[in-house]
Amino acid sequence: MTGATRRLRRAPLLLGACAGVLYANFVLDWLRRGPATLGHMVSELAAPGEPSAWVYRGAEVGTAALVLPLLPSVRAALPAGPAREVVAGGAAVFAVGAAVAGLVPTPCGPRPVHEEVDTRPRSSLHDGASAVSDSGLYVAEAAAWLSTRRHGPRWFHRGTGAALVVGTASSLVFARARPSGRLRGVTGVAQRVNVLAISAWLGCLGLLAARAPGEHDAVRGARADARVP
């Protein structure tokens, strides 16, 4: 393997790792203001007038810019079949939805809420883009889990299953707690757990895409030859 080939294989690793880091941009606010901000929804940190709002918006757009060029290599590393097309398509929907949500922020930032129901203004376009983005990701994860169930790679199959379970569970908690102003702490923590699960899976995509083209087929062929008497 030449040095140029090694450098090319490092590119997907960097794309996946950087996408995961950018998507978990709430950590910046956590480091700056401490755990007291855990009750704020991540989208509120990017609202107009909030400190460094442009950083959070730019991070979401940057995530999309890193994920999209990663997808051809991800597709090539997965077993042949319709499932890998669903993975690539779902991940593309996630990336585009995340970019739209970053470009069209929610209009209202963190403010004290004393009512039982949180009635602060929301952006239908931002919320819709976020919902579509998350849905595309879950579809991609489910398809990736199914496509690697028999032939692997096993680490990716297990990592995808864990990300899917944690992500969907935290989304359900978020949806249940969000309407209540009294449960904003639960809402904020659930959303951050969801974001971290997504970020971890983006890193897994980078690791998967870093595999040499055709490596999966070679492994399958070797296993098939080993079964021949």
Coordinates of all heavy atoms in Angstrom, one line a residue, residues 85-172:
E85 N -28.5 1.1 -0.4 CA -29.0 2.3 -1.1 C -29.9 3.1 -0.1 O -29.9 4.3 -0.1 CB -29.9 1.9 -2.3 CG -29.2 0.9 -3.2 CD -27.9 1.4 -3.8 OE1 -27.7 2.7 -3.9 OE2 -27.1 0.6 -4.2
V86 N -30.6 2.4 0.8 CA -31.4 3.1 1.8 C -30.5 3.8 2.8 O -30.8 4.9 3.2 CB -32.3 2.0 2.5 CG1 -33.1 2.7 3.6 CG2 -33.3 1.4 1.5
V87 N -29.4 3.1 3.1 CA -28.4 3.8 4.1 C -27.9 5.1 3.5 O -28.0 6.1 4.2 CB -27.2 2.8 4.4 CG1 -26.2 3.6 5.2 CG2 -27.7 1.6 5.1
A88 N -27.5 5.0 2.2 CA -27.0 6.3 1.6 C -28.0 7.3 1.5 O -27.8 8.5 1.8 CB -26.4 5.9 0.2
G89 N -29.2 6.9 1.0 CA -30.3 7.9 0.9 C -30.8 8.5 2.2 O -31.0 9.7 2.3
G90 N -30.9 7.6 3.2 CA -31.3 8.1 4.5 C -30.3 9.1 5.1 O -30.7 10.1 5.7
A91 N -29.0 8.7 5.0 CA -28.0 9.6 5.5 C -28.0 10.9 4.8 O -27.7 12.0 5.4 CB -26.6 8.9 5.5
A92 N -28.2 10.9 3.5 CA -28.3 12.1 2.7 C -29.4 13.0 3.2 O -29.3 14.2 3.3 CB -28.4 11.8 1.2
V93 N -30.6 12.4 3.4 CA -31.7 13.2 4.0 C -31.4 13.8 5.3 O -31.7 14.9 5.6 CB -33.0 12.2 4.1 CG1 -34.1 12.9 4.9 CG2 -33.5 11.8 2.7
F94 N -30.7 13.0 6.2 CA -30.3 13.5 7.4 C -29.4 14.8 7.3 O -29.6 15.8 7.9 CB -29.5 12.5 8.2 CG -28.6 13.0 9.2 CD1 -29.0 13.5 10.5 CD2 -27.2 13.1 9.0 CE1 -28.2 14.0 11.4 CE2 -26.3 13.6 10.0 CZ -26.8 14.1 11.2
A95 N -28.4 14.7 6.4 CA -27.5 15.8 6.2 C -28.2 17.0 5.7 O -28.0 18.1 6.2 CB -26.4 15.4 5.2
V96 N -29.0 16.9 4.6 CA -29.7 18.0 4.1 C -30.7 18.6 5.1 O -30.8 19.9 5.3 CB -30.5 17.6 2.8 CG1 -31.4 18.8 2.3 CG2 -29.5 17.2 1.7
G97 N -31.4 17.8 5.9 CA -32.3 18.3 6.9 C -31.5 19.1 8.0 O -32.0 20.1 8.5
A98 N -30.4 18.6 8.4 CA -29.6 19.2 9.4 C -29.1 20.6 8.9 O -29.1 21.6 9.6 CB -28.4 18.4 9.8
A99 N -28.7 20.7 7.6 CA -28.3 21.9 7.0 C -29.5 23.0 7.0 O -29.3 24.1 7.3 CB -27.8 21.7 5.6
V100 N -30.7 22.5 6.6 CA -31.8 23.4 6.6 C -32.1 23.9 8.0 O -32.4 25.1 8.2 CB -33.0 22.7 6.0 CG1 -34.3 23.6 6.1 CG2 -32.8 22.4 4.5
A101 N -32.1 23.0 9.0 CA -32.4 23.4 10.4 C -31.3 24.4 10.9 O -31.6 25.3 11.7 CB -32.4 22.1 11.3
G102 N -30.1 24.3 10.4 CA -29.1 25.2 10.8 C -29.2 26.6 10.1 O -29.0 27.6 10.7
L103 N -29.7 26.6 8.9 CA -29.9 27.8 8.1 C -31.1 28.6 8.6 O -31.2 29.8 8.4 CB -29.9 27.5 6.6 CG -28.6 27.0 6.0 CD1 -28.9 26.6 4.6 CD2 -27.5 28.1 6.0
V104 N -32.1 27.8 9.1 CA -33.4 28.5 9.5 C -33.5 28.2 11.0 O -34.2 27.2 11.4 CB -34.6 27.9 8.7 CG1 -35.8 28.7 9.1 CG2 -34.3 28.0 7.2
P105 N -32.9 29.0 11.9 CA -32.9 28.7 13.3 C -34.3 28.9 13.9 O -35.2 29.6 13.3 CB -31.9 29.6 13.9 CG -32.0 30.8 12.9 CD -32.2 30.2 11.6
T106 N -34.5 28.4 15.1 CA -35.7 28.7 15.8 C -35.6 30.1 16.3 O -34.5 30.6 16.6 CB -35.8 27.7 17.1 OG1 -37.1 27.8 17.7 CG2 -34.7 28.0 18.1
P107 N -36.7 30.8 16.4 CA -36.7 32.3 16.6 C -36.4 32.7 18.0 O -36.2 33.9 18.3 CB -38.1 32.8 16.1 CG -39.0 31.6 16.3 CD -38.1 30.4 16.0
C108 N -36.6 31.8 19.0 CA -36.5 32.2 20.4 C -35.5 31.4 21.1 O -35.5 30.2 21.1 CB -37.9 32.0 21.0 SG -38.0 32.7 22.7
G109 N -34.6 32.1 21.8 CA -33.5 31.4 22.6 C -34.0 31.0 24.0 O -35.2 31.1 24.3
P110 N -33.0 30.6 24.8 CA -33.4 30.2 26.2 C -33.9 31.3 27.0 O -33.3 32.4 27.1 CB -32.0 29.7 26.7 CG -31.1 29.5 25.6 CD -31.6 30.4 24.5
R111 N -35.0 31.1 27.6 CA -35.6 32.1 28.6 C -36.3 31.3 29.7 O -36.8 30.2 29.4 CB -36.6 33.0 27.8 CG -36.0 33.9 26.8 CD -37.1 34.7 26.0 NE -36.5 35.4 24.9 CZ -37.3 36.1 24.1 NH1 -38.6 36.1 24.2 NH2 -36.7 36.7 23.1
P112 N -36.5 31.9 30.8 CA -37.2 31.2 31.9 C -38.6 30.8 31.5 O -39.3 31.7 30.9 CB -37.1 32.2 33.1 CG -36.0 33.1 32.8 CD -35.9 33.2 31.3
V113 N -39.0 29.7 31.8 CA -40.4 29.2 31.5 C -41.1 28.9 32.8 O -40.6 28.0 33.6 CB -40.4 28.0 30.6 CG1 -41.8 27.6 30.3 CG2 -39.7 28.4 29.3
H114 N -42.2 29.5 33.1 CA -42.9 29.3 34.4 C -44.2 28.6 34.2 O -44.8 28.1 35.2 CB -43.1 30.6 35.1 CG -41.8 31.4 35.4 ND1 -40.9 31.0 36.3 CD2 -41.4 32.6 34.8 CE1 -39.9 31.9 36.3 NE2 -40.2 32.8 35.4
E115 N -44.7 28.5 33.0 CA -45.9 27.9 32.7 C -45.7 26.4 32.7 O -44.6 25.9 32.4 CB -46.5 28.3 31.4 CG -46.7 29.8 31.3 CD -45.4 30.5 30.8 OE1 -44.4 29.8 30.5 OE2 -45.4 31.8 30.6
E116 N -46.8 25.6 32.8 CA -46.7 24.2 32.8 C -46.4 23.8 31.3 O -45.7 22.8 31.1 CB -48.0 23.6 33.2 CG -48.0 22.0 33.2 CD -49.2 21.4 33.8 OE1 -50.1 22.2 34.3 OE2 -49.4 20.2 33.7
V117 N -47.0 24.5 30.4 CA -46.8 24.2 29.0 C -45.9 25.3 28.4 O -46.1 26.5 28.6 CB -48.1 24.2 28.2 CG1 -47.8 23.9 26.7 CG2 -49.0 23.1 28.8
D118 N -44.8 24.8 27.6 CA -43.9 25.8 27.0 C -44.5 26.3 25.7 O -44.7 25.6 24.8 CB -42.6 25.0 26.7 CG -41.5 25.9 26.2 OD1 -41.8 27.1 25.9 OD2 -40.4 25.5 26.1
T119 N -44.8 27.6 25.8 CA -45.5 28.2 24.6 C -44.7 29.2 23.9 O -45.2 30.0 23.1 CB -46.8 29.0 25.1 OG1 -46.4 30.0 26.1 CG2 -47.8 28.0 25.7
R120 N -43.3 29.2 24.1 CA -42.5 30.1 23.4 C -42.5 29.9 21.9 O -42.8 28.8 21.4 CB -41.0 30.0 23.9 CG -40.3 28.7 23.4 CD -39.0 28.7 24.1 NE -39.1 28.5 25.5 CZ -38.1 28.7 26.4 NH1 -36.9 29.1 26.0 NH2 -38.3 28.5 27.7
P121 N -42.3 30.9 21.1 CA -42.4 30.8 19.6 C -41.5 29.7 19.0 O -40.4 29.5 19.5 CB -42.0 32.2 19.1 CG -42.2 33.1 20.2 CD -41.9 32.3 21.5
R122 N -41.9 29.1 18.0 CA -41.1 28.0 17.3 C -41.2 28.3 15.8 O -42.1 29.0 15.3 CB -41.7 26.6 17.6 CG -41.7 26.2 19.1 CD -40.3 26.1 19.6 NE -39.5 25.1 18.9 CZ -38.2 24.9 19.1 NH1 -37.6 25.6 20.0 NH2 -37.5 24.0 18.4
S123 N -40.3 27.7 15.1 CA -40.2 27.8 13.6 C -40.7 26.4 13.1 O -40.0 25.4 13.4 CB -38.8 28.1 13.1 OG -38.7 27.9 11.7
S124 N -41.8 26.5 12.4 CA -42.3 25.2 11.8 C -41.3 24.6 10.8 O -41.1 23.4 10.7 CB -43.6 25.4 11.1 OG -44.6 25.9 12.0
L125 N -40.6 25.5 10.0 CA -39.6 25.0 9.1 C -38.4 24.4 9.8 O -38.0 23.3 9.4 CB -39.1 26.1 8.2 CG -38.1 25.8 7.1 CD1 -38.6 24.6 6.2 CD2 -37.8 27.0 6.3
H126 N -37.9 25.0 10.8 CA -36.8 24.4 11.6 C -37.2 23.1 12.2 O -36.5 22.1 12.1 CB -36.4 25.4 12.7 CG -35.3 24.9 13.6 ND1 -34.0 25.0 13.3 CD2 -35.4 24.2 14.8 CE1 -33.3 24.4 14.3 NE2 -34.2 23.9 15.2
D127 N -38.4 23.1 12.9 CA -38.8 21.8 13.6 C -39.0 20.7 12.5 O -38.7 19.6 12.8 CB -40.0 22.1 14.4 CG -39.7 23.0 15.6 OD1 -38.6 23.2 15.9 OD2 -40.7 23.4 16.3
G128 N -39.6 21.1 11.4 CA -39.9 20.1 10.4 C -38.6 19.5 9.8 O -38.5 18.3 9.6
A129 N -37.7 20.4 9.5 CA -36.4 20.0 9.0 C -35.7 19.1 10.0 O -35.0 18.1 9.6 CB -35.5 21.2 8.6
S130 N -35.7 19.4 11.3 CA -35.1 18.6 12.3 C -35.7 17.2 12.3 O -35.1 16.2 12.5 CB -35.2 19.2 13.6 OG -34.4 20.5 13.7
A131 N -37.1 17.2 12.3 CA -37.8 15.9 12.3 C -37.5 15.0 11.1 O -37.2 13.8 11.2 CB -39.3 16.1 12.4
V132 N -37.4 15.6 9.9 CA -37.1 14.9 8.7 C -35.7 14.4 8.8 O -35.4 13.2 8.4 CB -37.3 15.8 7.5 CG1 -36.7 15.1 6.2 CG2 -38.8 16.1 7.2
S133 N -34.8 15.2 9.3 CA -33.4 14.8 9.4 C -33.2 13.6 10.3 O -32.5 12.6 10.0 CB -32.5 16.0 10.0 OG -31.2 15.7 10.1
D134 N -33.8 13.7 11.5 CA -33.7 12.5 12.4 C -34.4 11.3 11.8 O -33.8 10.2 12.0 CB -34.4 12.9 13.7 CG -33.6 13.9 14.6 OD1 -32.4 14.1 14.2 OD2 -34.1 14.3 15.6
S135 N -35.5 11.5 11.2 CA -36.2 10.3 10.6 C -35.3 9.6 9.5 O -35.2 8.4 9.5 CB -37.5 10.7 10.0 OG -38.4 11.2 10.9
G136 N -34.7 10.5 8.7 CA -33.7 9.9 7.7 C -32.6 9.1 8.3 O -32.2 8.1 7.8
L137 N -32.1 9.7 9.4 CA -31.0 9.0 10.1 C -31.4 7.7 10.7 O -30.7 6.7 10.5 CB -30.4 9.9 11.2 CG -29.2 9.3 11.9 CD1 -27.9 9.8 11.3 CD2 -29.3 9.4 13.4
Y138 N -32.6 7.6 11.3 CA -33.0 6.4 11.9 C -33.3 5.3 10.8 O -33.0 4.1 11.0 CB -34.3 6.6 12.7 CG -34.1 7.5 13.9 CD1 -35.1 8.3 14.4 CD2 -32.9 7.5 14.6 CE1 -34.9 9.2 15.4 CE2 -32.7 8.3 15.7 CZ -33.6 9.2 16.1 OH -33.5 10.0 17.2
V139 N -33.8 5.7 9.7 CA -34.0 4.8 8.6 C -32.7 4.3 8.1 O -32.5 3.1 7.8 CB -34.8 5.5 7.4 CG1 -34.8 4.6 6.2 CG2 -36.2 5.7 7.8
A140 N -31.7 5.2 8.0 CA -30.4 4.7 7.5 C -29.7 3.8 8.5 O -29.1 2.8 8.1 CB -29.5 6.0 7.4
E141 N -29.9 4.1 9.8 CA -29.3 3.2 10.8 C -30.0 1.8 10.8 O -29.3 0.8 10.9 CB -29.5 3.8 12.2 CG -28.5 5.0 12.4 CD -28.7 5.6 13.8 OE1 -29.7 5.4 14.5 OE2 -27.7 6.2 14.3
A142 N -31.3 1.8 10.7 CA -32.0 0.5 10.6 C -31.6 -0.3 9.4 O -31.3 -1.5 9.5 CB -33.5 0.7 10.6
A143 N -31.4 0.3 8.3 CA -31.0 -0.4 7.1 C -29.6 -0.8 7.2 O -29.2 -2.0 6.7 CB -31.2 0.5 5.8
A144 N -28.7 0.0 7.8 CA -27.3 -0.4 8.0 C -27.2 -1.6 9.0 O -26.4 -2.6 8.7 CB -26.5 0.7 8.6
W145 N -28.0 -1.6 10.0 CA -28.0 -2.8 10.9 C -28.5 -4.0 10.2 O -27.9 -5.1 10.4 CB -29.0 -2.5 12.1 CG -29.0 -3.5 13.2 CD1 -28.1 -3.6 14.2 CD2 -29.9 -4.6 13.3 NE1 -28.4 -4.7 15.0 CE2 -29.5 -5.3 14.4 CE3 -31.0 -5.0 12.6 CZ2 -30.2 -6.5 14.9 CZ3 -31.7 -6.1 13.0 CH2 -31.3 -6.8 14.1
L146 N -29.5 -3.9 9.4 CA -30.0 -5.1 8.7 C -29.0 -5.6 7.7 O -28.8 -6.8 7.5 CB -31.3 -4.8 8.0 CG -32.6 -4.6 8.9 CD1 -33.8 -4.1 8.1 CD2 -32.9 -5.9 9.6
S147 N -28.4 -4.7 6.9 CA -27.5 -5.1 5.9 C -26.2 -5.7 6.4 O -25.5 -6.5 5.7 CB -27.1 -3.9 5.0 OG -26.3 -3.0 5.7
T148 N -25.8 -5.5 7.6 CA -24.6 -6.0 8.2 C -24.8 -7.1 9.2 O -23.9 -7.6 9.8 CB -23.8 -4.9 8.9 OG1 -24.6 -4.3 9.9 CG2 -23.3 -3.9 7.8
R149 N -26.1 -7.6 9.3 CA -26.4 -8.6 10.3 C -25.7 -9.9 10.0 O -25.3 -10.6 11.0 CB -27.9 -8.8 10.3 CG -28.4 -9.8 11.4 CD -29.9 -9.8 11.5 NE -30.6 -10.0 10.2 CZ -31.9 -10.1 10.0 NH1 -32.7 -10.0 11.0 NH2 -32.4 -10.3 8.8
R150 N -25.6 -10.3 8.8 CA -25.0 -11.6 8.5 C -23.5 -11.5 8.2 O -22.7 -12.3 8.6 CB -25.7 -12.2 7.3 CG -27.1 -12.7 7.6 CD -27.7 -13.5 6.5 NE -29.0 -14.0 6.7 CZ -29.7 -14.8 5.9 NH1 -29.2 -15.1 4.7 NH2 -30.9 -15.2 6.3
H151 N -23.1 -10.5 7.3 CA -21.8 -10.5 6.8 C -20.9 -9.4 7.5 O -19.7 -9.3 7.1 CB -21.8 -10.2 5.3 CG -22.6 -11.3 4.6 ND1 -22.2 -12.6 4.5 CD2 -23.8 -11.2 3.9 CE1 -23.1 -13.3 3.8 NE2 -24.0 -12.5 3.4
G152 N -21.4 -8.6 8.4 CA -20.6 -7.7 9.1 C -20.3 -6.4 8.2 O -21.0 -6.2 7.2
P153 N -19.4 -5.7 8.6 CA -18.5 -5.9 9.8 C -19.2 -5.9 11.1 O -20.1 -5.1 11.3 CB -17.4 -4.8 9.7 CG -18.1 -3.7 8.9 CD -19.0 -4.4 8.0
R154 N -18.8 -6.8 12.0 CA -19.5 -7.0 13.2 C -19.5 -5.8 14.1 O -20.5 -5.4 14.8 CB -18.9 -8.2 14.0 CG -19.7 -8.7 15.2 CD -19.3 -10.0 15.7 NE -19.4 -11.0 14.7 CZ -19.0 -12.3 14.8 NH1 -18.4 -12.7 15.9 NH2 -19.2 -13.2 13.8
W155 N -18.3 -5.1 14.2 CA -18.2 -3.9 15.1 C -19.2 -2.8 14.6 O -19.8 -2.1 15.4 CB -16.8 -3.4 15.1 CG -16.4 -2.8 13.7 CD1 -15.7 -3.5 12.8 CD2 -16.6 -1.5 13.2 NE1 -15.5 -2.7 11.7 CE2 -16.0 -1.4 12.0 CE3 -17.2 -0.4 13.8 CZ2 -16.0 -0.3 11.2 CZ3 -17.3 0.8 13.0 CH2 -16.7 0.8 11.7
F156 N -19.4 -2.7 13.3 CA -20.3 -1.7 12.8 C -21.7 -2.1 13.0 O -22.6 -1.2 13.4 CB -20.0 -1.5 11.3 CG -20.9 -0.4 10.6 CD1 -20.7 0.9 10.9 CD2 -22.0 -0.8 9.8 CE1 -21.5 1.9 10.3 CE2 -22.8 0.2 9.3 CZ -22.5 1.5 9.5
H157 N -22.0 -3.4 12.9 CA -23.4 -3.9 13.2 C -23.8 -3.6 14.6 O -24.9 -3.1 14.9 CB -23.4 -5.4 12.9 CG -24.7 -6.0 13.2 ND1 -25.9 -5.8 12.4 CD2 -25.1 -6.8 14.2 CE1 -26.9 -6.5 13.0 NE2 -26.5 -7.1 14.0
R158 N -22.9 -3.9 15.5 CA -23.2 -3.7 16.9 C -23.2 -2.2 17.3 O -24.1 -1.8 18.0 CB -22.1 -4.4 17.8 CG -22.2 -5.9 17.7 CD -21.0 -6.5 18.5 NE -21.1 -8.0 18.5 CZ -20.1 -8.8 19.0 NH1 -19.0 -8.2 19.5 NH2 -20.3 -10.1 19.0
G159 N -22.3 -1.4 16.8 CA -22.3 0.0 17.0 C -23.6 0.7 16.5 O -24.2 1.6 17.1
T160 N -24.0 0.2 15.3 CA -25.2 0.8 14.7 C -26.4 0.4 15.5 O -27.3 1.3 15.8 CB -25.4 0.3 13.3 OG1 -24.3 0.8 12.5 CG2 -26.7 0.8 12.7
G161 N -26.5 -0.8 16.0 CA -27.6 -1.2 16.8 C -27.7 -0.4 18.1 O -28.8 0.0 18.5
A162 N -26.6 -0.2 18.7 CA -26.5 0.6 20.0 C -27.0 2.1 19.7 O -27.8 2.6 20.5 CB -25.1 0.6 20.6
A163 N -26.5 2.6 18.6 CA -26.8 4.0 18.3 C -28.3 4.1 18.0 O -29.0 5.1 18.4 CB -26.0 4.5 17.1
L164 N -28.9 3.1 17.3 CA -30.3 3.2 17.0 C -31.2 3.1 18.2 O -32.1 3.8 18.4 CB -30.6 2.0 16.0 CG -32.0 1.9 15.5 CD1 -32.4 3.2 14.8 CD2 -32.2 0.7 14.6
V165 N -30.8 2.2 19.1 CA -31.6 2.0 20.4 C -31.5 3.3 21.2 O -32.6 3.8 21.7 CB -31.1 0.8 21.2 CG1 -31.8 0.7 22.5 CG2 -31.4 -0.5 20.4
V166 N -30.3 3.8 21.5 CA -30.2 5.0 22.3 C -30.8 6.2 21.6 O -31.5 7.0 22.3 CB -28.7 5.2 22.6 CG1 -28.5 6.6 23.3 CG2 -28.1 4.1 23.4
G167 N -30.7 6.3 20.3 CA -31.2 7.4 19.6 C -32.8 7.4 19.7 O -33.4 8.5 19.9
T168 N -33.4 6.3 19.3 CA -34.8 6.3 19.3 C -35.4 6.4 20.7 O -36.4 7.1 20.9 CB -35.3 5.0 18.7 OG1 -34.7 3.8 19.3 CG2 -35.0 4.9 17.2
A169 N -34.8 5.8 21.7 CA -35.3 5.9 23.1 C -35.2 7.4 23.6 O -36.2 7.9 24.2 CB -34.5 5.0 24.0
S170 N -34.1 8.0 23.3 CA -34.0 9.4 23.8 C -34.9 10.3 23.0 O -35.4 11.3 23.6 CB -32.5 9.9 23.6 OG -32.1 9.8 22.3
S171 N -35.2 10.0 21.7 CA -36.2 10.8 21.0 C -37.6 10.7 21.6 O -38.3 11.6 21.6 CB -36.2 10.4 19.5 OG -35.0 10.8 18.9
L172 N -37.9 9.5 22.0 CA -39.2 9.3 22.6 C -39.4 10.0 23.9 O -40.4 10.6 24.2 CB -39.5 7.8 22.8 CG -39.7 6.9 21.5 CD1 -39.7 5.4 21.9 CD2 -40.9 7.3 20.8

